[in-house]
């Protein structure tokens, strides 16, 4: 059974989150360069550690 | 019901404890605070347990490499999904997954993940508390509680009760406990490192054989990588609901690199060194030989306390998810809901060795489900939807929501997860942990993740989008 109190509060929040002018709007996207930087760092670390730590 | 009452209701219930989407002003964790929480989670004794398990297969250098590589891959993936979408939209993680599995399907996913996986993790931590306290008692009163399943169960149940008391205080109290525990755990980890190197040199540790050496060293290395990938992916069910509380996109992403990756890696490596130096994979038996009676007992007692932090964070995340399942569950008072979540934890604590002595297999069972789910969510959110969700549709009933798919179920996503799970099982037997042909080249979790992601991508393009379901066309055009 729907909860009218919850629904009203949800509607209030959706309105704020969807309004681009609201200070309570959704967060911006994570910049793509952050992901690329993390992935690149991981690749470099992986290669170095394989060269150093792979059991022989 | 008037609007002011509605607002009051949300405030009373605590938006952070319900599945309402969080506003920017309600995000309680900055970059620094989420980093602290992340490090706290990472340097729980489960990282030491992970190190102990890795030491079964490889020596020190192989362990360092496999831990960093395995955790690095897995943590990057879980930092992308679920952390990025939950933080951007402020939605509870399983509410966000309605865009992947459907409005009804996501509830089933949530129940499976919460009741089985998260409860099992909480129980594992409680059992570790039990082991730690039993070792403390044995040292103080010269008893043999550490070998008594009943004594460990009793101590674990005590930890569950204490976790419930902390949970009733909500996520703010979790943060306060973390503020105390995190710095001390860092000191303990570094102190262990000093004490280990006081007993043995680097060359001695580096040349120490694994606890159960295998003839095929490459296979042992791959098993170790797999153990660490699975260990990193195991954060998936809980980290999303914690990232939801962060106040910027970078605050939801990078702290995982400091905590779940770097701090976990350091603690696990210290665990490997301790296991190799002391010849045991059980972290609760390392402390007294390392630190002596007084220091060892003090450290064990503190570790038991610090584990409570992780238990509370794990349980908080699970309970947040449960509240999204139905209106009826949402109306249950937070303390009662917390107690209900802990019921399966209590049951597992009655059989302490079933989880504690089968850590690798336990991780394997988690990875069978979590790796494909992570792959499906990454593809769905970043590739198919280009990081755009319809917030409103996440909360609509199946017949009205763009995420209704087929009567609330996205069968394509479930088939993708199923095929991913089968891929895992084909490469690594989850019961006897025996690898099959192909595992030595690709492991098990990553292929499972890739297969699930590719199947979901193809299925969505060929079936879901063509039938106009799932809101994919709308979100791409935004």
């Amino acid at each position: 059974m729907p909860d009218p109190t919850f629904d009203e509060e949800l509607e209030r929040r959706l309105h704020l989150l969807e309004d681009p002018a609201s200070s309570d709007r959704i967060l911006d996207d994570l910049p793509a360069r952050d992901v690329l930087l993390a992935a690149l760092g991981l690749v470099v670390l992986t290669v170095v550690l394989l060269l150093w730590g792979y059991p022989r | 019901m008037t609007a002011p009452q509605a607002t009051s209701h949300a405030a009373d219930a605590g938006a952070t404890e319900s599945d309402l989407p969080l506003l920017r002003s309600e995000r309680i964790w900055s970059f620094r605070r989420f980093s602290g929480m992340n490090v706290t989670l990472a340097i729980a004794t489960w990282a030491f347990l992970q190190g102990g398990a890795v030491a079964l297969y490889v020596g020190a250098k192989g362990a360092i490499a496999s831990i960093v590589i395995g955790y690095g891959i897995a943590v990057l993936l879980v930092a992308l999904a679920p952390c990025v979408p939950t933080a951007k939209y402020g939605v509870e993680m399983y509410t966000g997954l309605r865009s992947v599995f459907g409005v009804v399907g996501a509830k089933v996913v949530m129940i499976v993940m919460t009741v089985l996986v998260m409860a099992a993790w909480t129980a594992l931590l409680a059992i570790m508390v039990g082991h730690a306290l039993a070792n403390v008692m044995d040292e103080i009163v010269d008893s043999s509680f550490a070998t008594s399943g009943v004594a460990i169960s009793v101590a674990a149940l005590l930890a569950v009760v204490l976790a419930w008391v902390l949970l009733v205080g909500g996520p703010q109290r979790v943060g306060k406990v973390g503020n105390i525990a995190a710095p001390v755990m860092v000191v303990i980890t570094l102190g262990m490192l000093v004490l280990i190197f006081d007993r043995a040199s680097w060359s001695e540790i580096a040349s120490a054989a694994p606890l159960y050496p295998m003839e095929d060293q490459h296979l042992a290395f791959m098993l170790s990588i797999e153990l660490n990938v699975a260990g990193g992916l195991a954060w998936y069910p809980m980290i999303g609901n914690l990232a939801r509380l962060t106040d910027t996109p970078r605050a939801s992403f990078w702290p995982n690199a400091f905590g779940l990756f770097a701090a976990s890696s350091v603690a696990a490596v210290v665990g490997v060194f301790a296991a190799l130096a002391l010849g045991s994979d059980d972290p609760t038996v390392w402390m007294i030989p390392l630190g002596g009676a007084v220091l060892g007992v003090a450290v064990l007692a503190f570790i038991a306390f610090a584990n409570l932090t992780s238990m509370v964070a794990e349980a908080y995340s699970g309970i947040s998810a449960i509240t999204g399942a139905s209106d009826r569950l949402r109306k249950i008072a937070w303390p009662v809901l917390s107690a209900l979540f802990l019921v399966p934890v209590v049951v597992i604590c009655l059989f302490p060795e079933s989880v504690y002595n089968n850590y690798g297999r336990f991780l394997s069972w988690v990875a069978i489900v979590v790796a494909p789910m992570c792959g499906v969510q990454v593809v769905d959110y970043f590739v198919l939807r280009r990081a755009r969700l319809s917030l409103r549709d996440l909360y609509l009933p199946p017949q009205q929501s763009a995420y209704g798919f087929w009567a609330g179920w996205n069968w394509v996503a479930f088939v993708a997860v199923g095929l991913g799970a089968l891929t895992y099982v084909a490469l690594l037997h989850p019961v006897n942990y025996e690898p099959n042909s192909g595992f030595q080249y690709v492991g098990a979790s990553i292929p499972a993740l890739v297969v699930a992601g590719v199947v979901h991508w193809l299925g969505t393009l060929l079936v879901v989008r063509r039938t106009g379901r799932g809101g994919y066309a709308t979100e791409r055009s935004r």
Side-chain angles (χ1 to χ4, degrees), chain B residues 369-463:
Chain B
V369 181
V370 166
M373 277 187 62
C374 188
V376 165
Q377 193 182 9
V378 167
V379 167
D380 193 88
Y381 182 74
F382 289 100
V383 180
L384 293 165
R385 299 189 190 280
R386 307 286 171 88
R388 297 284 178 275
L389 297 179
S390 167
L391 197 50
R392 191 167 292 271
D393 281 291
L394 291 174
Y395 293 91
L396 289 173
Q399 59 274 23
Q400 296 171 24
S401 172
Y403 306 133
F405 296 95
W406 289 271
W409 296 79
N410 182 8
W411 296 111
V412 168
F414 280 97
V415 168
V417 170
L419 290 175
L422 285 176
T423 304
Y424 187 104
V425 173
L427 289 163
L428 181 63
H429 198 294
V431 176
N432 60 22
Y433 215 62
E434 286 291 326
N436 294 319
S437 178
F439 174 88
Q440 69 270 34
Y441 306 113
V442 290
S445 289
I446 297 303
L449 184 146
V450 170
V451 165
V454 170
V455 169
H456 183 68
W457 179 65
L458 286 174
T460 301
L461 292 184
L462 297 176
V463 181

Side-chain angles (χ1 to χ4, degrees), chain A residues 1-2 5-6 8-11 13 17-18 23-29 33-34 45 49 52-55, chain B residues 1 6 9-10 15 19-21 24-26 61-62 68 87-88 217-218 249-250 254 327 330 388 392:
Chain A
M1 192 173 141
T5 317
F6 180 86
E8 284 174 23
E9 177 59 16
L10 175 63
E11 187 55 42
R13 286 166 178 271
L17 287 159
E18 289 171 339
S23 60
D24 271 326
R25 66 188 181 279
I26 59 170
L27 300 186
D28 299 327
D29 282 318
R33 70 171 177 274
D34 286 42
L45 205 54
L49 283 168
W52 174 77
Y54 181 79
Chain B
M1 189 68 66
H9 164 87
D19 66 334
L20 286 166
R24 283 188 181 214
S25 53
E26 291 171 327
K61 286 175 74 174
V68 174
K88 178 178 177 180
Q217 288 195 44
H218 171 74
R250 284 188 167 132
W254 287 107
D327 290 332
R330 202 178 292 128
R388 297 284 178 275
R392 191 167 292 271

Side-chain angles (χ1 to χ4, degrees), chain B residues 34 38 41 46 70-71 73-87 91-102 105-106 108-114 116-119 121 228-244 252 256 260-261 264 313-314 316-318 320-321 362-363 365-382 389 413-414 417 445 449 452-453 456:
Chain B
F34 190 46
N38 224 291
L41 282 172
W46 52 28
Y71 272 172
I73 294 168
V75 172
L76 176 60
L77 287 164
V78 298
L80 289 173
C83 289
V84 170
T86 56
V91 290
E92 189 283 317
M93 175 181 157
Y94 294 96
T95 303
L97 280 177
R98 289 173 188 170
S99 62
V100 181
F101 294 97
V108 174
V109 169
M110 182 276 292
I111 289 166
V112 170
M113 298 297 279
T114 305
L116 297 182
V117 179
M118 300 184 74
W121 271 113
N228 292 305
V229 171
L233 287 174
W235 293 106
Y236 178 91
M238 75 168 298
I239 198 66
N241 278 337
L242 298 178
R244 175 194 178 209
S252 72
N256 297 303
L260 302 192
F261 171 60
S264 270
E314 187 83 37
Y316 164 74
S317 192
S320 295
F362 168 70
L363 275 186
W365 279 100
V366 172
I368 286 174
V369 181
V370 166
M373 277 187 62
C374 188
V376 165
Q377 193 182 9
V378 167
V379 167
D380 193 88
Y381 182 74
F382 289 100
L389 297 179
F414 280 97
V417 170
S445 289
L449 184 146
H456 183 68

